[in-house]
Amino acid sequence: MSRISNFVKENLSFIVGIKHFCSFVNVRFIKPKNRKSFGYFGCTTLLKTPAMITTPANVFLHEDIHIREGLTIINDTGKVVIKRFTGIAPDCTIVTGNHTPTVGVPHRLGGPCHINDNEKGVTIEEGVWIGTRVTLLSGAHVGRGAVIGAQSLVNKEIPPYAVAVGSPAKVIASVFSIEQILEHERHLYKPEERLSREYLEELFAKYYDGKKSIGKSDMSEEDRKKIKEASQSLFNKIKVE
């Protein structure tokens, strides 16, 4: 027994390091790959690791989503819903909780214990692009087809097909013109799922009057080939997982 005790004392830092390493691998690489632990995980969705998700049961990843490395979702009761055709760049963070300072409770305990938390869900609609290192806070709702610029902070509703940047994020442009959106949606969505011209005209009058559109309609044959190859490559990666 004394030999074992001496071995443990002499190698304690190494043993603790191994324990921490195993915990890191489990949390960042193994746990996020357990699709059954999620509220929903689309069969055509790819979540790259490392990632950290505190409560996967309240995370709903629809089909045809591509999430790059470094995603962090800090949630307890708050739901996170990410819908199809969405792409998320590396190192993004989603937080559903909003701590409230409470008399007599130190912050180091109030957060982990969720004392007086005001927890709201975060929703990312279809066809959204989330740039690298974007943070989405409690109650954030990103509309269909929107683009959120790198390192932006979203804490409110972003309208469909908006380009939003900054901290907090502000709408600076539309992704497409009305005609481009109608054409875009004909390619991606069923007739009953598409946004109507009437709705889009109201949307543009409210949010995009005097603002430019950044998208393009033309695409070369070489670009079409790249899209086809990338789609097949992504499908193959999903099959392997």
Side-chain angles (χ1 to χ4, degrees):
M1 183 64 71
S2 61
R3 288 183 177 179
I4 296 176
S5 179
N6 289 335
F7 175 83
V8 170
K9 289 180 180 179
E10 293 172 1
N11 297 277
L12 183 59
S13 60
F14 175 75
I15 294 171
V16 172
I18 290 295
K19 180 182 178 182
H20 287 169
F21 175 76
C22 291
S23 175
F24 173 82
V25 170
N26 180 56
V27 170
R28 296 280 182 171
F29 291 90
I30 298 175
K31 188 178 178 182
K33 291 297 184 181
N34 182 9
R35 291 173 175 247
K36 293 182 180 179
S37 68
F38 285 76
Y40 184 79
F41 199 120
C43 61
T44 56
T45 282
L46 179 63
L47 169 61
K48 290 186 175 181
T49 53
M52 189 190 78
I53 301 169
T54 55
T55 311
N58 285 334
V59 176
F60 300 81
L61 305 179
H62 293 202
E63 279 73 22
D64 299 317
I65 298 169
H66 187 190
I67 301 174
R68 295 287 302 276
E69 300 86 350
L71 175 69
T72 298
I73 298 179
I74 302 172
N75 66 321
D76 183 38
T77 59
K79 292 185 178 180
V80 175
V81 178
I82 304 175
K83 298 186 180 180
R84 59 186 176 152
F85 306 141
T86 287
I88 298 181
D91 299 324
C92 288
T93 301
I94 299 174
V95 182
T96 62
N98 193 359
H99 304 315
T100 301
T102 302
V103 173
V105 179
H107 288 297
R108 68 183 183 87
L109 297 178
C113 295
H114 304 289
I115 305 300
N116 287 326
D117 266 11
N118 181 16
E119 190 132 359
K120 297 179 182 179
V122 172
T123 300
I124 301 173
E125 297 289 350
E126 302 93 340
V128 169
W129 172 251
I130 304 292
T132 186
R133 295 186 177 178
V134 165
T135 298
L136 292 95
L137 298 182
S138 178
H141 187 152
V142 183
R144 177 190 286 190
V147 170
I148 308 299
Q151 297 188 338
S152 296
L153 183 147
V154 181
N155 59 359
K156 59 185 178 181
E157 184 167 357
I158 300 297
Y161 290 99
V163 179
V165 300
S167 180
K170 295 182 180 180
V171 176
I172 62 167
S174 65
V175 175
F176 296 127
S177 68
I178 291 177
E179 295 301 327
Q180 287 174 320
I181 293 173
L182 293 172
E183 177 65 21
H184 181 70
E185 297 222 338
R186 279 194 287 270
H187 288 286
L188 296 184
Y189 303 106
K190 297 177 181 178
E192 63 272 18
E193 297 173 337
R194 298 169 191 165
L195 302 181
S196 68
R197 179 182 289 276
E198 181 181 14
Y199 172 81
L200 291 174
E201 288 175 351
E202 292 177 359
L203 186 75
F204 270 66
K206 184 175 182 180
Y207 294 107
Y208 307 129
D209 185 36
K211 291 183 172 65
K212 65 179 181 179
S213 298
I214 67 167
K216 295 184 177 181
S217 298
D218 57 317
M219 184 165 52
S220 67
E221 286 303 317
E222 183 180 355
D223 288 338
R224 295 180 192 279
K225 183 179 179 181
K226 288 179 181 178
I227 289 292
K228 186 175 181 180
E229 290 174 350
S231 179
Q232 184 61 49
S233 175
L234 188 59
F235 176 73
N236 291 336
K237 289 178 182 177
I238 293 169
K239 281 174 61 179
V240 169
E241 293 195 358

